[in-house]
Amino acid sequence: ALGLLATAVKMSLRYREMLAQTLQNELLQRAVLETAVDGVIMINARGIVQSFNPAAEQIFGWQAHEVIGQNINMLMPEPHHSAHDGYLRRHLETGHTSVIGIGRELEGLHKGGHRIPLRLAVGRVEQLEEPLFVGFLVDMTPYKILEQERQRGEAQLRSLVSNLPGVAFRCKQLPGWPMIFVSEAVATVTGWHADDFLQGRINIGQLIHPHDIERVTSEVDRALQQDVSYRVEYRIRTPEGQTRWLVEFGRGLQEDGEKLIDGVMLDITETKMRNAEFEGTVEALDRSEAIAEFNLRGRII
């Protein structure tokens, strides 16, 4: 009898210890779920919601008591709303899955009726009776908004750059000034497409006239060392063998540890030609006036 009593006491103590451990684990699990930033939803093998944490409430607009006990497809828009139970049944029968263990992006259905972009990862928890499935959800709405703003900003920048009266560029502070961005207008000015510069098939240093390259390099390097903007004029040769005059405005900068140059190139060939014609006309007039004055003096004498 004493032995049986001792065994009973030991079993009772062990039971209490296991119960305390179980309660502690449940409290820890509840604390993790309630404080998790991501939405966490647990369903059984029939698709019935077993738990729905506060982050999931924020994402879907439903309170936990409104969702627990309901089919998870209430949170899904069509066609997944109607097809979900079939997905789950096929997985249980065949083991096939396109979601479990694989993160993917999809849409959820908010209580208000609008769709929510989500990132979903699903895990399977084995149990004696039936497995449970735990879904971890991230609301992608802020990221989608940022992406849309980024795309809108890029579109505005492309529109602005395409309407600039010249060629906008960003290049590296390396020999030849290899481009990392150049506007499409470069094709009209140089005869080379923007992709030729970006892919490294050509660089602006290779186009500059041999008689100008040393002067241009010296002026640009001096401005970069003094951290001031520069203005430099030079000639380039097009693929067709034509000579064009360009004026370039630029300034050095440093981004993510890389030394770069931002600038604009303008085609001033026509201006140079008009100036040359004007200077030639002035020179011719000067010569004519000199000849006329000489002849006049000769007649007076």
Side-chain angles (χ1 to χ4, degrees):
L2 290 175
L4 290 174
L5 180 60
T7 301
V9 170
K10 288 181 180 180
M11 291 180 62
S12 176
L13 292 174
R14 178 59 179 165
Y15 174 76
R16 290 183 179 182
E17 182 181 343
M18 292 176 60
L19 180 60
Q21 185 65 42
T22 301
L23 290 174
Q24 183 177 357
N25 290 339
E26 289 181 355
L27 289 173
L28 179 60
Q29 181 184 22
R30 187 177 298 113
V32 171
L33 291 177
E34 290 180 354
T35 58
V37 176
D38 296 343
V40 182
I41 304 174
M42 184 180 296
I43 65 173
N44 63 17
R46 299 180 303 282
I48 304 304
V49 178
Q50 306 297 298
S51 66
F52 196 78
N53 78 333
E57 293 179 335
Q58 291 292 323
I59 293 173
F60 290 98
W62 295 94
Q63 296 298 308
H65 70 270
E66 298 176 292
V67 179
I68 293 174
Q70 303 296 322
N71 194 301
I72 188 66
N73 63 13
M74 69 178 289
L75 305 176
M76 301 175 182
E78 293 293 358
H80 302 296
H81 175 86
S82 300
H84 177 264
D85 289 348
Y87 298 156
L88 193 56
R89 185 168 53 254
R90 184 167 63 252
H91 167 70
L92 293 172
E93 292 173 354
T94 66
H96 172 77
T97 179
S98 59
V99 177
I100 297 174
I102 304 172
R104 60 179 295 187
E105 290 191 11
L106 43 72
E107 289 184 320
L109 186 63
H110 192 271
K111 183 178 181 178
H114 61 273
R115 298 189 176 206
I116 318 159
L118 300 171
R119 179 75 179 174
L120 170 67
V122 179
R124 175 169 171 161
V125 181
E126 297 297 340
Q127 294 195 125
L128 293 176
E129 298 83 7
E130 61 179 8
L132 294 176
F133 299 92
V134 184
F136 299 89
L137 297 149
V138 178
D139 186 353
M140 300 296 292
T141 302
Y143 304 98
K144 295 294 183 181
I145 292 174
L146 288 175
E147 178 63 17
Q148 291 172 0
E149 290 296 328
R150 184 188 66 81
Q151 292 177 355
R152 188 178 297 111
E154 288 182 354
Q156 292 173 347
L157 179 60
R158 283 194 298 269
S159 176
L160 175 63
V161 168
S162 65
N163 287 290
L164 285 174
V167 180
F169 70 89
R170 170 172 285 189
C171 67
K172 298 180 180 180
Q173 292 184 26
L174 295 175
W177 303 292
M179 297 290 182
I180 59 176
F181 167 79
V182 64
S183 61
E184 295 294 336
V186 73
T188 304
V189 174
T190 68
W192 293 87
H193 292 286
D195 193 56
D196 294 321
F197 290 93
L198 300 177
Q199 297 298 325
R201 290 189 284 270
I202 192 71
N203 62 54
I204 195 66
Q206 294 172 292
L207 302 182
I208 297 178
H209 195 286
H211 293 167
D212 295 343
I213 187 65
E214 185 175 349
R215 171 180 56 82
V216 172
T217 301
S218 176
E219 291 185 25
V220 172
D221 287 347
R222 183 168 58 252
L224 295 176
Q225 291 171 5
Q226 297 175 358
D227 193 24
V228 296
S229 59
Y230 65 83
R231 178 190 184 280
V232 61
E233 295 184 7
Y234 53 83
R235 292 165 291 177
I236 65 168
R237 298 287 289 178
T238 69
E240 294 77 21
Q242 298 176 337
T243 298
R244 289 185 176 275
W245 276 95
L246 304 184
V247 59
E248 179 179 318
F249 302 87
R251 181 155 191 164
L253 72 153
Q254 193 162 338
E255 189 173 277
D256 297 330
E258 187 174 25
K259 293 183 177 180
L260 308 170
I261 299 174
D262 277 350
V264 176
M265 294 182 291
L266 301 174
D267 187 347
I268 57 171
T269 304
E270 293 185 5
T271 302
K272 283 287 187 180
M273 292 176 62
R274 285 197 299 269
N275 289 344
E277 291 174 359
F278 177 75
E279 290 173 359
T281 302
V282 171
E283 185 178 350
L285 288 172
D286 289 343
R287 285 198 301 268
S288 298
E289 289 178 359
I291 292 171
E293 183 178 355
F294 177 78
N295 291 334
L296 179 61
R297 287 179 179 177
R299 287 196 297 272
I300 293 175
I301 293 173

Coordinates of all heavy atoms in Angstrom, one line a residue, residues 126-187:
E126 N 2.4 18.0 -38.1 CA 1.9 16.7 -37.9 C 1.3 16.5 -36.5 O 1.9 16.9 -35.5 CB 2.9 15.6 -38.2 CG 3.5 15.7 -39.7 CD 2.4 15.4 -40.7 OE1 1.3 14.8 -40.3 OE2 2.6 15.8 -41.9
Q127 N 0.1 15.9 -36.4 CA -0.5 15.5 -35.2 C -1.0 14.1 -35.3 O -1.1 13.5 -36.4 CB -1.6 16.5 -34.8 CG -1.1 17.9 -34.6 CD -2.2 18.7 -33.9 OE1 -2.0 19.3 -32.8 NE2 -3.4 18.8 -34.5
L128 N -1.4 13.6 -34.1 CA -1.9 12.2 -34.1 C -3.2 12.1 -34.9 O -3.4 11.1 -35.7 CB -2.2 11.7 -32.7 CG -0.9 11.5 -31.8 CD1 -1.3 11.2 -30.4 CD2 0.0 10.5 -32.4
E129 N -4.2 13.0 -34.7 CA -5.5 12.8 -35.3 C -5.4 13.3 -36.8 O -5.7 12.6 -37.7 CB -6.5 13.7 -34.6 CG -6.8 13.2 -33.1 CD -5.8 13.8 -32.2 OE1 -5.0 14.7 -32.6 OE2 -5.7 13.4 -31.0
E130 N -5.0 14.5 -37.0 CA -5.0 15.1 -38.3 C -3.9 16.2 -38.3 O -3.7 16.9 -37.3 CB -6.3 15.7 -38.8 CG -6.9 16.8 -37.9 CD -8.2 17.3 -38.3 OE1 -8.8 16.7 -39.3 OE2 -8.7 18.3 -37.8
P131 N -3.4 16.5 -39.5 CA -2.4 17.6 -39.5 C -3.0 19.0 -39.4 O -4.2 19.2 -39.7 CB -1.7 17.4 -40.9 CG -2.8 16.8 -41.7 CD -3.5 15.9 -40.8
L132 N -2.2 19.9 -38.9 CA -2.6 21.3 -38.9 C -1.7 22.1 -39.9 O -0.6 21.7 -40.2 CB -2.4 21.9 -37.6 CG -3.4 21.4 -36.4 CD1 -3.0 22.1 -35.1 CD2 -4.8 21.7 -36.8
F133 N -2.3 23.2 -40.5 CA -1.5 24.0 -41.4 C -1.4 25.4 -40.9 O -2.5 26.0 -40.5 CB -2.2 24.0 -42.8 CG -2.3 22.6 -43.4 CD1 -3.4 21.8 -43.2 CD2 -1.2 22.1 -44.1 CE1 -3.5 20.5 -43.7 CE2 -1.3 20.8 -44.7 CZ -2.4 20.0 -44.4
V134 N -0.2 26.0 -40.9 CA 0.0 27.3 -40.3 C 0.4 28.2 -41.5 O 1.4 27.9 -42.2 CB 1.1 27.3 -39.2 CG1 1.2 28.7 -38.6 CG2 0.7 26.3 -38.1
G135 N -0.3 29.3 -41.7 CA 0.0 30.3 -42.7 C 0.6 31.5 -42.1 O 0.1 32.1 -41.1
F136 N 1.7 32.0 -42.7 CA 2.4 33.2 -42.3 C 2.2 34.2 -43.4 O 2.6 34.0 -44.5 CB 3.9 33.0 -42.0 CG 4.1 32.0 -40.9 CD1 4.2 30.7 -41.2 CD2 4.2 32.4 -39.6 CE1 4.4 29.7 -40.2 CE2 4.4 31.5 -38.6 CZ 4.6 30.1 -38.9
L137 N 1.6 35.4 -43.1 CA 1.1 36.4 -44.1 C 1.8 37.7 -43.8 O 1.9 38.2 -42.7 CB -0.4 36.5 -44.0 CG -1.2 35.3 -44.4 CD1 -2.5 35.3 -43.6 CD2 -1.4 35.2 -45.9
V138 N 2.3 38.3 -44.9 CA 2.8 39.7 -44.9 C 1.9 40.5 -45.8 O 1.7 40.2 -47.0 CB 4.3 39.7 -45.3 CG1 4.8 41.1 -45.3 CG2 5.1 38.8 -44.4
D139 N 1.4 41.6 -45.3 CA 0.7 42.5 -46.1 C 1.6 43.3 -47.0 O 2.5 44.1 -46.6 CB -0.1 43.5 -45.2 CG -1.1 44.4 -46.0 OD1 -1.0 44.4 -47.3 OD2 -1.8 45.2 -45.4
M140 N 1.5 43.1 -48.3 CA 2.4 43.7 -49.3 C 2.0 45.1 -49.8 O 2.6 45.7 -50.6 CB 2.6 42.8 -50.5 CG 3.1 41.4 -50.2 SD 4.8 41.5 -49.5 CE 5.7 42.0 -51.0
T141 N 0.9 45.6 -49.2 CA 0.3 46.9 -49.7 C 1.3 48.0 -49.6 O 1.5 48.8 -50.6 CB -0.9 47.3 -48.9 OG1 -1.9 46.2 -49.0 CG2 -1.5 48.6 -49.4
P142 N 2.1 48.2 -48.5 CA 3.0 49.3 -48.4 C 4.1 49.1 -49.5 O 4.6 50.1 -50.1 CB 3.6 49.2 -47.0 CG 2.6 48.5 -46.2 CD 2.0 47.5 -47.2
Y143 N 4.6 47.9 -49.7 CA 5.6 47.7 -50.7 C 5.1 47.9 -52.1 O 5.9 48.5 -53.0 CB 6.1 46.2 -50.6 CG 6.6 45.8 -49.2 CD1 5.8 45.2 -48.3 CD2 7.9 46.2 -48.8 CE1 6.2 44.8 -47.0 CE2 8.3 45.9 -47.5 CZ 7.5 45.2 -46.6 OH 7.9 44.9 -45.4
K144 N 3.9 47.6 -52.4 CA 3.3 47.8 -53.7 C 3.2 49.3 -53.9 O 3.4 49.8 -55.1 CB 1.9 47.2 -53.8 CG 1.9 45.6 -53.7 CD 2.6 45.0 -54.9 CE 2.6 43.5 -54.9 NZ 3.3 42.9 -56.1
I145 N 2.8 50.1 -52.9 CA 2.7 51.5 -53.0 C 4.0 52.1 -53.3 O 4.2 53.0 -54.2 CB 2.0 52.1 -51.8 CG1 0.6 51.7 -51.6 CG2 2.1 53.7 -51.8 CD1 -0.1 52.1 -50.3
L146 N 5.0 51.7 -52.6 CA 6.4 52.2 -52.8 C 6.9 51.9 -54.3 O 7.5 52.7 -54.9 CB 7.4 51.6 -51.8 CG 7.3 52.1 -50.4 CD1 8.2 51.3 -49.5 CD2 7.6 53.6 -50.3
E147 N 6.6 50.6 -54.7 CA 7.0 50.2 -56.1 C 6.2 51.1 -57.1 O 6.9 51.5 -58.1 CB 6.6 48.8 -56.3 CG 6.9 48.2 -57.7 CD 8.4 48.3 -58.0 OE1 9.2 48.4 -57.1 OE2 8.7 48.2 -59.2
Q148 N 5.0 51.4 -56.9 CA 4.2 52.2 -57.8 C 4.8 53.6 -57.8 O 5.0 54.3 -58.9 CB 2.8 52.3 -57.4 CG 2.0 51.0 -57.7 CD 0.6 51.0 -57.1 OE1 0.2 52.0 -56.5 NE2 -0.1 49.9 -57.3
E149 N 5.2 54.2 -56.7 CA 5.8 55.5 -56.6 C 7.1 55.5 -57.3 O 7.5 56.5 -58.0 CB 5.9 55.9 -55.1 CG 4.6 56.2 -54.4 CD 3.9 57.4 -55.0 OE1 4.6 58.3 -55.5 OE2 2.6 57.4 -55.0
R150 N 7.9 54.4 -57.1 CA 9.2 54.3 -57.8 C 9.0 54.3 -59.3 O 9.7 55.0 -60.0 CB 9.9 53.1 -57.3 CG 11.4 53.0 -57.9 CD 12.0 51.6 -57.5 NE 11.3 50.5 -58.2 CZ 11.5 50.2 -59.5 NH1 12.3 50.9 -60.2 NH2 10.8 49.2 -60.0
Q151 N 8.1 53.5 -59.8 CA 7.9 53.5 -61.2 C 7.4 54.8 -61.7 O 7.8 55.2 -62.8 CB 6.9 52.3 -61.5 CG 7.4 50.9 -61.2 CD 6.4 49.9 -61.5 OE1 5.2 50.2 -61.8 NE2 6.8 48.6 -61.4
R152 N 6.5 55.4 -61.0 CA 6.0 56.8 -61.4 C 7.1 57.8 -61.4 O 7.2 58.6 -62.4 CB 4.9 57.2 -60.4 CG 4.2 58.5 -60.9 CD 3.1 58.9 -60.0 NE 2.0 57.9 -59.9 CZ 1.8 57.2 -58.8 NH1 2.5 57.4 -57.7 NH2 0.8 56.3 -58.8
G153 N 8.0 57.7 -60.4 CA 9.2 58.6 -60.4 C 10.1 58.3 -61.6 O 10.6 59.3 -62.2
E154 N 10.3 57.1 -61.9 CA 11.2 56.7 -63.0 C 10.6 57.2 -64.3 O 11.3 57.7 -65.2 CB 11.4 55.2 -63.1 CG 12.3 54.7 -62.0 CD 12.6 53.2 -62.1 OE1 12.0 52.6 -63.0 OE2 13.4 52.7 -61.3
A155 N 9.2 57.1 -64.5 CA 8.6 57.5 -65.7 C 8.7 59.0 -65.8 O 9.0 59.6 -66.9 CB 7.1 57.1 -65.7
Q156 N 8.5 59.8 -64.7 CA 8.7 61.2 -64.8 C 10.1 61.6 -65.1 O 10.3 62.6 -65.9 CB 8.2 61.8 -63.4 CG 6.7 61.7 -63.1 CD 6.4 62.1 -61.7 OE1 7.3 62.3 -60.9 NE2 5.1 62.3 -61.5
L157 N 11.1 60.9 -64.5 CA 12.5 61.2 -64.8 C 12.8 60.9 -66.3 O 13.5 61.7 -66.9 CB 13.4 60.4 -63.9 CG 14.9 60.6 -64.1 CD1 15.3 62.0 -63.8 CD2 15.7 59.6 -63.2
R158 N 12.3 59.8 -66.8 CA 12.5 59.5 -68.2 C 11.9 60.6 -69.1 O 12.5 61.0 -70.1 CB 12.0 58.2 -68.6 CG 12.8 57.0 -68.1 CD 12.4 55.7 -68.8 NE 11.0 55.4 -68.5 CZ 10.6 54.6 -67.4 NH1 11.5 54.1 -66.6 NH2 9.4 54.3 -67.2
S159 N 10.7 61.0 -68.7 CA 10.1 62.1 -69.5 C 10.9 63.4 -69.5 O 11.1 64.1 -70.5 CB 8.6 62.3 -69.0 OG 8.0 63.4 -69.7
L160 N 11.3 63.7 -68.3 CA 12.1 64.9 -68.1 C 13.4 64.9 -68.9 O 13.8 65.8 -69.6 CB 12.4 65.2 -66.6 CG 13.4 66.3 -66.3 CD1 12.7 67.6 -66.7 CD2 13.7 66.3 -64.8
V161 N 14.1 63.7 -68.8 CA 15.4 63.6 -69.4 C 15.2 63.6 -71.0 O 16.0 64.2 -71.7 CB 16.1 62.3 -69.0 CG1 17.3 61.9 -69.9 CG2 16.5 62.4 -67.6
S162 N 14.1 62.9 -71.5 CA 13.9 62.9 -72.9 C 13.6 64.3 -73.5 O 13.8 64.5 -74.7 CB 12.8 61.9 -73.2 OG 11.6 62.4 -72.7
N163 N 13.2 65.2 -72.6 CA 12.8 66.5 -73.1 C 13.9 67.6 -72.9 O 13.8 68.7 -73.2 CB 11.5 67.0 -72.5 CG 10.3 66.3 -73.1 OD1 9.9 66.5 -74.2 ND2 9.7 65.4 -72.3
L164 N 15.0 67.1 -72.3 CA 16.2 68.0 -72.1 C 16.8 68.4 -73.4 O 16.9 67.6 -74.3 CB 17.2 67.4 -71.2 CG 16.9 67.3 -69.7 CD1 18.0 66.5 -69.0 CD2 16.8 68.6 -69.1
P165 N 17.2 69.6 -73.6 CA 17.9 70.0 -74.8 C 19.3 69.6 -74.9 O 20.3 70.4 -74.9 CB 17.8 71.6 -74.8 CG 17.8 71.9 -73.3 CD 17.1 70.7 -72.6
G166 N 19.5 68.3 -74.9 CA 20.9 67.7 -74.9 C 20.9 66.3 -74.4 O 19.8 65.7 -74.4
V167 N 22.1 65.8 -74.1 CA 22.2 64.5 -73.6 C 22.6 64.5 -72.1 O 23.6 65.0 -71.7 CB 23.4 63.8 -74.4 CG1 23.5 62.3 -73.9 CG2 23.1 63.8 -75.9
A168 N 21.7 63.9 -71.3 CA 22.0 63.7 -69.9 C 22.7 62.4 -69.7 O 22.4 61.4 -70.3 CB 20.7 63.7 -69.1
F169 N 23.7 62.4 -68.8 CA 24.5 61.2 -68.6 C 25.0 61.2 -67.1 O 25.1 62.1 -66.4 CB 25.7 61.2 -69.5 CG 26.8 62.2 -69.2 CD1 27.8 61.9 -68.4 CD2 26.7 63.5 -69.8 CE1 28.8 62.9 -68.1 CE2 27.7 64.4 -69.6 CZ 28.7 64.1 -68.7
R170 N 25.3 59.9 -66.7 CA 26.1 59.7 -65.5 C 27.2 58.7 -65.9 O 26.8 57.6 -66.5 CB 25.2 59.1 -64.4 CG 26.0 58.6 -63.2 CD 25.1 58.2 -62.0 NE 24.7 59.4 -61.3 CZ 24.0 59.4 -60.2 NH1 23.8 58.3 -59.6 NH2 23.6 60.5 -59.6
C171 N 28.4 59.0 -65.6 CA 29.5 58.1 -66.0 C 30.4 57.9 -64.8 O 30.3 58.6 -63.8 CB 30.3 58.7 -67.2 SG 31.2 60.2 -66.8
K172 N 31.3 56.9 -64.9 CA 32.3 56.7 -63.9 C 33.5 57.6 -64.1 O 33.9 57.9 -65.2 CB 32.7 55.2 -63.9 CG 31.6 54.2 -63.7 CD 32.1 52.8 -63.7 CE 30.9 51.8 -63.4 NZ 31.4 50.4 -63.5
Q173 N 34.2 57.9 -63.0 CA 35.4 58.7 -63.1 C 36.6 57.7 -63.4 O 37.5 57.5 -62.6 CB 35.7 59.4 -61.8 CG 34.7 60.5 -61.5 CD 35.0 61.3 -60.3 OE1 36.2 61.4 -59.9 NE2 34.0 61.9 -59.6
L174 N 36.5 57.2 -64.6 CA 37.6 56.2 -65.0 C 38.0 56.6 -66.4 O 37.3 57.4 -67.1 CB 37.0 54.8 -65.1 CG 36.6 54.2 -63.7 CD1 36.0 52.8 -63.9 CD2 37.9 54.0 -62.8
P175 N 39.2 56.2 -66.9 CA 39.6 56.5 -68.2 C 38.5 56.2 -69.3 O 38.0 55.1 -69.3 CB 40.8 55.6 -68.4 CG 41.4 55.4 -67.0 CD 40.2 55.3 -66.2
G176 N 38.3 57.2 -70.2 CA 37.2 57.0 -71.2 C 35.9 57.4 -70.7 O 34.9 57.5 -71.5
W177 N 35.7 57.5 -69.4 CA 34.4 57.9 -68.8 C 33.3 56.9 -69.2 O 32.3 57.3 -69.9 CB 34.0 59.4 -69.2 CG 35.1 60.3 -68.8 CD1 35.4 60.7 -67.5 CD2 35.9 61.1 -69.6 NE1 36.4 61.6 -67.5 CE2 36.8 61.9 -68.8 CE3 36.0 61.2 -71.0 CZ2 37.7 62.7 -69.3 CZ3 37.0 62.0 -71.5 CH2 37.8 62.8 -70.7
P178 N 33.4 55.7 -68.8 CA 32.3 54.7 -69.2 C 31.0 55.1 -68.6 O 30.9 55.5 -67.4 CB 32.8 53.4 -68.6 CG 33.8 53.8 -67.6 CD 34.4 55.0 -68.1
M179 N 29.9 55.0 -69.4 CA 28.6 55.4 -69.0 C 27.9 54.3 -68.1 O 27.9 53.1 -68.4 CB 27.7 55.7 -70.2 CG 28.2 56.9 -71.0 SD 28.0 58.5 -70.2 CE 28.7 59.6 -71.5
I180 N 27.1 54.8 -67.1 CA 26.2 53.9 -66.4 C 24.7 54.4 -66.6 O 23.8 53.7 -66.4 CB 26.5 53.8 -64.9 CG1 26.4 55.2 -64.2 CG2 27.8 53.2 -64.7 CD1 26.6 55.2 -62.7
F181 N 24.6 55.6 -67.2 CA 23.3 56.1 -67.7 C 23.6 57.1 -68.7 O 24.4 58.0 -68.6 CB 22.5 56.7 -66.6 CG 21.3 57.5 -67.1 CD1 20.1 56.8 -67.5 CD2 21.3 58.9 -67.2 CE1 19.1 57.5 -68.0 CE2 20.2 59.6 -67.7 CZ 19.1 58.9 -68.1
V182 N 22.8 57.1 -69.8 CA 22.9 58.1 -70.8 C 21.5 58.2 -71.5 O 20.9 57.1 -71.8 CB 24.0 57.9 -71.8 CG1 23.8 56.6 -72.6 CG2 24.2 59.1 -72.8
S183 N 21.0 59.4 -71.8 CA 19.7 59.5 -72.4 C 19.7 59.1 -73.9 O 20.8 59.1 -74.5 CB 19.2 60.9 -72.3 OG 20.0 61.8 -72.9
E184 N 18.5 58.8 -74.4 CA 18.5 58.3 -75.8 C 18.9 59.3 -76.8 O 19.3 59.0 -78.0 CB 17.0 57.9 -76.1 CG 16.5 56.7 -75.3 CD 17.3 55.4 -75.7 OE1 17.8 55.3 -76.8 OE2 17.4 54.5 -74.8
A185 N 18.9 60.6 -76.4 CA 19.3 61.7 -77.4 C 20.8 61.5 -77.8 O 21.2 62.2 -78.8 CB 19.1 63.0 -76.7
V186 N 21.5 60.7 -77.1 CA 22.9 60.5 -77.5 C 23.1 60.0 -78.9 O 24.1 60.3 -79.6 CB 23.6 59.6 -76.5 CG1 23.2 58.1 -76.6 CG2 25.1 59.8 -76.5
A187 N 22.1 59.2 -79.4 CA 22.2 58.7 -80.7 C 22.2 59.8 -81.8 O 22.9 59.8 -82.8 CB 21.0 57.7 -81.0

